Amino acid sequence: MHLAYPAVLAVLLFCTGLYGVLARRNAILVLMSVELMLNAVNLNLVAFDVWLRDALHSGQALTLFTIAIAAAEIGIGLAIVLAVYRNRGSSDIDRLRDTAETDEAETLPDGDDDGDDGGAASGTEDQATAPAGKAKKAEATP
């Protein structure tokens, strides 16, 4: 058998997986695309092992290690995706990226970021702490 057939198939599998990683927004589909890419590597390892007629069959041994790593990756990856889905309600990668990027100015009060006013509020309340501050004022006033 020629080496070109499994090599072309491996290239097609790898390109399909790469497209899936770059174009998909669902985390589970991205994990499946990574699995396609790893299977393309496995196909190349076995094809070159047969083509080189290696006595130690090192290509097949490396394929077994790659399969073990792929199984661990999919197990841990699915556990992370399920935990994120339970917490956030979505496995969309773009939404997860947007929630991870927080601006530090939103969490700090307006007067505390420069340190020159001695901790006094500058008159405008932070939108995140405004409801809590109003609730404390309502409890304090008789």
Side-chain angles (χ1 to χ4, degrees):
M1 180 168 87
H2 295 288
L3 182 62
Y5 298 131
V8 168
L9 180 62
V11 166
L12 290 174
L13 277 174
F14 192 85
C15 289
T16 304
L18 185 64
Y19 173 75
V21 167
L22 295 177
R24 299 292 179 188
R25 296 296 164 231
N26 190 348
I28 294 175
L29 292 177
V30 170
L31 286 173
M32 289 174 59
S33 299
V34 170
E35 289 294 322
L36 274 176
M37 292 167 62
L38 287 172
N39 285 332
V41 170
N42 288 340
L43 183 61
N44 269 335
L45 285 172
V46 171
F48 277 99
D49 182 47
V50 169
W51 184 62
L52 294 174
R53 294 188 176 98
D54 187 18
L56 296 175
H57 298 292
S58 57
Q60 293 178 16
L62 285 174
T63 299
L64 288 176
F65 285 120
T66 308
I67 290 171
I69 289 171
E73 175 258 337
I74 200 69
I76 293 172
L78 278 176
I80 291 171
V81 167
L82 285 175
V84 167
Y85 182 77
R86 286 181 184 159
N87 288 337
R88 307 273 170 102
S90 174
S91 63
D92 188 18
I93 294 174
D94 288 335
R95 282 188 61 196
L96 296 178
R97 188 179 324 138
D98 291 342
T99 58
E101 297 172 358
T102 59
D103 190 9
E104 290 183 21
E106 291 177 356
T107 58
L108 293 175
D110 290 338
D112 289 345
D113 55 348
D114 55 359
D116 62 343
D117 59 354
S122 63
T124 59
E125 291 182 345
D126 187 9
Q127 291 180 1
T129 59
K134 289 179 183 177
K136 286 181 184 178
K137 283 183 187 178
E139 290 176 9
T141 58

